[in-house]
């Protein structure tokens, strides 16, 4: 079976950095007794350790060496073909009551689930190495920062977490020796990578995650979706902060005025591209910088929201990434990157659909089979990924390590919608913005297993990631709003609207700067807009469309509201709220009724 490599025995000085916190040591002891590994490897995230683990991974075929002249210090990993995306159907929130997990989560009773998982983990690491990884989410000195430990039997997880988190000594220092300090317990085992024994379980009350049977990043890099979002959102509500599925970017005018915006788009809807946007030539002197590409943690300070990116790297979708679509991502992944499930060209370079240049005449596809441009199969899996350090990003924001976070001027929601939803509009106020986020929808993508292209409601892009009752989550948003004296403006965008010919109406990518600029103008009180039933809409002349090759009719269509489409949309909002039972806050029901009245429903 792929990935199930035997134990490794490191030379002295590697794999022996034991934490001193007694609570951690007791827990590791307990998991080792249960899983019975051949040995325990205490990770410290050092260069030395990483070199050793890469060498072992190459020997055991967990990693494949790439042409180091083309992609320096970079490797390819192939996951089991049955294990290539997040599995929402096998993801559970295990709270004492089903009510606490709410209508959008799979719920499982904690005691029974612990017993089931303990049975699966019993002797699961026999003959293998158990790695203990200390990591930190957030800058070293941030009040938002959290410490986690992940136990895993996968070297791929160790090497990926070294990129994705601040790993090792920094985390141990942050935790200290207090056995009652808050830290997350994560246990991962590949087991036999069998979908029938694949469970991603969260125990928010215990700050614990157990993930078995998968090797795919979103299911096993427990720092990311599991801690930073599911457990994170649960802690955030309790502790009065916000854990959101949001990119964070900085945008600076030629005069040096800088704003930060946070944007929640569902998985594989262009968060990484937007966070690394390069303004078109017409916007000379404008700069966009990245704070984060996937997750934003925000807290209130002086009546404003301040955000940090808890992560240290990017786990991005590869297909479609090119020098045309996202030059900064291409530069980021040109070295020190782990690729998962892309194709391997005969010259040892990586290949994927949508990469610049001609496809290779022959390659090995993501499954390990021969591939040519004539093949019916894709060379790279549609959800193939790069894992790359954020320090590789040429436009990394200088304040990415700022513990206080960056002040957020605007929050943007958005999804993939072929119709109905205009290119951009602004909510009337915070509560109306919360309604807008709560009712957002998107066509599904390959980031999770299941049908692709189906419109589903994905509130705040958190449907798969909210670790508690979604009604309480909406209320938390409303409650945060009450504490803000200087709230961010809230917008909705849709880069994906199509015309009657089925083609995208908007060019997207760098041209999204035009929309971003209008949002910044609105933040500064200068941008024009018309009041519409759904919010403030720009008219074509409010957007800077100079030197853009999009015809006037397309712009009208992009900014237009179709009465019948919106009647259907509002009916779908009602259907969605009804499907949640009676958890939706009154304020949001009121917002919906007002909107329905506007459309004579
Ligand atoms: C991701 C996702 O990997 O949202 O970021 O699925
Ligand atoms: Mn994501």
């Amino acid at each position: 079976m792929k990935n199930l490599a035997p134990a490794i025995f490191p030379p002295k000085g590697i794999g022996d950095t034991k934490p001193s916190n007694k609570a951690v040591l007791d827990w590791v002891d307990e998991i080792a007794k249960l899983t019975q590994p051949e040995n325990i490897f205490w990770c410290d995230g050092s260069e030395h350790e990483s070199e050793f683990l890469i060498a072992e991974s190459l020997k055991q075929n967990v990693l494949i060496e790439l042409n180091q002249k083309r992609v320096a210090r970079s490797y390819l990993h192939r996951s089991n073909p049955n294990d290539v995306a997040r599995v929402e159907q096998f993801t559970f929130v295990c709270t004492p009551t089903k009510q606490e997990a709410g209508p959008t989560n799979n719920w499982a009773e904690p005691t029974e689930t612990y017993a089931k998982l303990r049975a699966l983990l019993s002797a699961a690491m026999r003959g293998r190495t158990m790695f203990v990884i200390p990591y930190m989410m957030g800058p070293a000195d941030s009040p938002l920062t959290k410490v986690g430990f992940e136990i895993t039997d996968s070297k791929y997880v160790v090497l990926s977490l070294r990129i994705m988190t601040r790993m090792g000594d920094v985390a141990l220092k942050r935790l200290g020796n207090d056995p009652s300090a808050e830290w997350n317990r994560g246990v991962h085992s590949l087991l036999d990578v069998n979908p029938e024994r694949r469970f991603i379980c969260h125990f928010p009350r215990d700050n614990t995650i157990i993930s078995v049977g998968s090797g795919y990043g979103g299911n096993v890099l427990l720092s990311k979706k599991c801690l930073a979002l599911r457990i994170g959102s649960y802690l955030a509500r309790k502790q009065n902060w916000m854990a959101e599925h949001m990119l964070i970017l900085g945008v600076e005018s030629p005069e040096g005025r800088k704003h930060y915006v946070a944007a929640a788009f569902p998985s594989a809807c262009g968060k990484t591209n937007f966070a690394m946007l390069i303004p078109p030539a017409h916007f000379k002197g404008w700069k966009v910088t990245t704070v984060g590409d996937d997750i934003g943690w925000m807290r209130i300070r002086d009546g404003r929201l301040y955000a940090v990116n808890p992560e240290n790297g990017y786990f991005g979708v590869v297909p479609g990434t090119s020098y045309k679509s996202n030059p900064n991502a291409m530069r980021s992944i040109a070295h020190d990157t782990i690729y998962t499930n892309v194709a391997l060209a005969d010259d040892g370079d990586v290949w994927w659909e949508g990469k610049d240049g001609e496809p290779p005449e022959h390659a090995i596809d993501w499954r390990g089979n021969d591939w040519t441009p004539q093949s019916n199969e894709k060379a790279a899996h549609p959800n193939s990924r790069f894992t790359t350090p954020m320090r590789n990003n040429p436009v990394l924001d200088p304040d990415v390590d700022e513990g206080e976070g960056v002040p957020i001027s605007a929050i943007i929601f958005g999804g993939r919608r072929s119709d109905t939803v205009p290119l951009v509009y602004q909510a009337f106020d915070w509560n109306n913005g919360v309604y807008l986020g709560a009712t957002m929808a998107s066509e599904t993508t390959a980031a999770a297993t299941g049908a692709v292209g189906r419109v589903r409601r994905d509130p705040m892009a958190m449907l798969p990631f909210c670790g508690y009752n979604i009604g309480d989550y909406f209320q938390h948003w409303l409650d945060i709003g009450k504490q803000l004296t200087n709230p961010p403006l809230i917008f909705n965008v849709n880069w994906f609207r199509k015309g009657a010919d089925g083609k995208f109406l908007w060019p997207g990518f760098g041209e999204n700067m035009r929309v971003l600029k209008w949002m910044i103008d609105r933040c500064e009180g200068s941008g024009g807009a018309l009041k519409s039933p759904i919010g403030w809409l720009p008219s074509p002349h409010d957007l800077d469309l100079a030197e853009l090759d999009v015809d006037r009719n397309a712009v009208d269509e992009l900014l237009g509201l179709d009465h019948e489409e919106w009647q259907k949309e509002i009916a779908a909002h009602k259907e969605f709220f009804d499907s949640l039972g009676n958890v939706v806050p009154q304020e949001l029901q009121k917002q919906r009724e007002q909107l329905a009245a506007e459309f004579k429903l």
Side-chain angles (χ1 to χ4, degrees):
M1 171 72 61
K2 265 183 197 150
N3 297 329
L4 298 185
I8 52 163
F9 295 94
K12 206 166 168 357
I14 295 183
D16 55 8
T17 314
K18 257 191 175 189
S20 50
N21 190 303
K22 182 155 179 336
V24 177
L25 293 172
D26 288 349
W27 168 72
V28 173
D29 217 35
E30 180 200 324
I31 303 300
K33 280 200 182 101
L34 174 67
T35 57
Q36 299 173 28
E38 185 75 21
N39 57 341
I40 300 181
F41 188 118
W42 304 90
C43 303
D44 64 6
S46 64
E47 197 67 44
H48 201 42
E49 172 183 288
S50 155
E51 278 165 17
F52 172 76
L53 289 176
I54 288 170
E56 290 298 316
S57 302
L58 290 170
K59 273 192 236 157
Q60 297 179 346
N61 274 331
V62 171
L63 294 182
I64 296 165
E65 175 115 38
L66 295 169
N67 182 335
Q68 299 293 303
K69 288 212 181 83
R70 289 181 190 264
V71 262
R73 301 173 299 280
S74 300
Y75 302 90
L76 168 65
H77 172 77
R78 292 196 190 114
S79 74
N80 193 305
N82 76 29
D83 184 30
V84 291
R86 285 185 291 99
V87 282
E88 292 174 8
Q89 68 279 33
F90 305 134
T91 300
F92 292 89
V93 171
C94 308
T95 41
T97 62
K98 186 166 165 41
Q99 149 76 14
E100 213 178 324
T104 55
N105 281 309
N106 297 316
W107 173 77
E109 198 282 322
T111 313
E112 278 169 24
T113 311
Y114 274 128
K116 178 172 93 176
L117 293 168
R118 284 184 73 81
L120 288 169
L121 284 167
S122 172
M125 297 189 192
R126 210 172 261 174
R128 314 202 56 212
T129 298
M130 179 174 116
F131 300 92
V132 184
I133 310 168
Y135 67 90
M136 192 172 73
M137 298 304 282
D141 61 349
S142 176
L144 283 163
T145 290
K146 301 285 181 200
V147 171
F149 281 79
E150 177 163 350
I151 287 177
T152 178
D153 51 11
S154 157
K155 289 184 280 300
Y156 169 76
V157 168
V158 182
L159 291 167
S160 302
L161 229 59
R162 180 168 181 263
I163 296 174
M164 294 303 297
T165 70
R166 292 160 172 96
M167 184 171 152
D169 212 36
V170 276
L172 297 180
K173 278 213 183 86
R174 171 86 189 201
L175 177 68
N177 281 333
D178 177 359
S180 64
E182 179 195 283
W183 54 280
N184 180 265
R185 293 152 170 76
V187 180
H188 164 246
S189 175
L190 292 161
L191 303 184
D192 56 352
V193 199
N194 183 334
E196 286 179 19
R197 286 183 281 284
R198 184 167 296 156
F199 301 105
I200 325 297
C201 300
H202 305 74
F203 301 86
R205 292 234 182 160
D206 308 335
N207 205 348
T208 292
I209 305 154
I210 304 179
S211 165
V212 294
S214 172
Y216 169 73
N219 300 327
V220 301
L221 307 179
L222 301 184
S223 58
K224 192 174 179 64
K225 301 304 177 180
C226 300
L227 170 54
L229 288 178
R230 296 195 191 96
I231 298 280
S233 59
Y234 180 93
L235 293 174
R237 174 166 171 253
K238 248 177 52 183
Q239 300 167 353
N240 199 36
W241 52 283
M242 302 175 90
E244 300 298 330
H245 192 200
M246 288 180 179
L247 69 91
I248 307 158
L249 62 79
V251 50
E252 192 176 332
S253 72
E255 299 75 39
R257 279 197 314 279
K258 188 159 185 181
H259 289 271
Y260 289 94
V261 309
F265 308 158
S267 309
C269 286
K271 281 204 296 300
T272 308
N273 290 343
F274 193 47
M276 295 183 177
L277 180 153
I278 296 181
H282 175 65
F283 286 82
K284 194 159 176 287
W286 285 85
K287 267 196 295 203
V288 171
T289 47
T290 319
V291 178
D293 82 324
D294 193 42
I295 296 172
W297 283 356
M298 300 189 283
R299 65 191 266 268
I300 304 166
R301 199 178 125 218
D302 304 330
R304 289 191 82 170
L305 281 178
Y306 282 74
V308 299
N309 168 16
E311 300 193 281
N312 196 41
Y314 310 133
F315 178 64
V317 177
V318 178
T321 307
S322 67
Y323 278 98
K324 187 159 168 278
S325 66
N326 190 342
N328 287 324
M330 288 302 282
R331 286 181 199 115
S332 304
I333 64 179
H335 57 98
D336 298 283
T337 294
I338 300 176
Y339 287 92
T340 303
N341 293 338
V342 298
L344 177 63
D346 293 351
D347 61 359
D349 202 351
V350 277
W351 172 258
W352 55 84
E353 279 72 17
K355 195 181 181 192
D356 309 87
E358 291 302 311
E361 280 172 18
H362 175 266
I364 304 295
D365 73 11
W366 67 274
R367 287 188 172 91
N369 299 327
D370 285 316
W371 181 92
T372 70
Q374 285 72 45
S375 300
N376 292 328
E377 306 285 333
K378 296 233 187 273
H381 187 275
N383 192 38
S384 51
R385 296 281 178 147
F386 55 76
T387 310
T388 203
M390 69 175 177
R391 316 272 158 201
N392 281 9
N393 179 358
V395 294
L396 189 65
D397 191 88
D399 282 342
V400 73
D401 288 315
E402 178 51 65
E404 290 294 347
V406 295
I408 298 296
S409 301
I411 287 177
I412 308 171
F413 296 118
R416 250 174 221 275
R417 295 294 300 271
S418 309
D419 49 39
T420 314
V421 181
L423 178 64
V424 61
Y425 61 101
Q426 181 195 334
F428 294 120
D429 55 24
W430 179 270
N431 284 1
N432 182 237
V434 174
Y435 177 79
L436 206 148
T439 53
M440 69 186 249
S442 190
E443 289 151 23
T444 49
T445 68
T449 52
V452 169
R454 180 176 57 82
V455 173
R456 75 165 180 180
R457 297 289 137 191
D458 188 351
M460 283 82 172
M462 283 288 278
L463 181 74
F465 307 122
C466 179
Y468 62 100
N469 191 309
I470 198 83
D472 294 335
Y473 171 76
F474 293 156
Q475 188 59 49
H476 181 52
W477 266 81
L478 295 169
D479 292 344
I480 290 279
K482 288 183 206 136
Q483 302 166 67
L484 298 173
T485 47
N486 191 359
L489 301 187
I490 300 183
F491 297 88
N492 195 79
V493 299
N494 177 22
W495 316 135
F496 301 94
R497 198 161 179 180
K498 290 180 178 166
D501 58 1
K503 295 209 175 101
F504 289 117
L505 289 164
W506 181 247
F509 302 109
E511 303 299 350
N512 294 337
M513 181 66 211
R514 297 167 191 275
V515 177
L516 183 57
K517 166 78 168 42
W518 178 74
M519 295 189 271
I520 297 305
D521 289 346
R522 295 294 292 169
C523 292
E524 295 192 340
S526 59
L530 288 173
K531 196 166 187 189
S532 86
I534 63 168
W536 294 100
L537 265 171
S539 12
H541 63 261
D542 294 320
L543 293 176
D544 185 344
L545 300 174
E547 297 168 39
L548 178 70
D549 188 19
V550 171
D551 80 38
R552 180 58 204 252
N553 290 342
V555 175
D556 288 344
E557 214 174 324
L558 277 160
L559 297 175
L561 296 182
D562 180 295
H563 197 81
E564 264 177 39
E565 280 181 353
W566 271 92
Q567 286 192 324
K568 278 195 207 132
E569 178 70 12
I570 295 158
H573 294 181
K574 178 166 185 336
E575 208 177 293
F576 177 56
F577 279 3
D578 288 349
S579 78
L580 299 178
N582 59 359
V583 305
V584 178
Q586 268 312 309
E587 172 59 30
L588 297 189
Q589 296 286 12
K590 196 179 91 197
Q591 293 273 341
R592 193 195 59 72
E593 281 157 23
Q594 278 165 0
L595 186 59
E598 293 278 354
F599 283 90
K600 316 241 173 325
L601 279 172

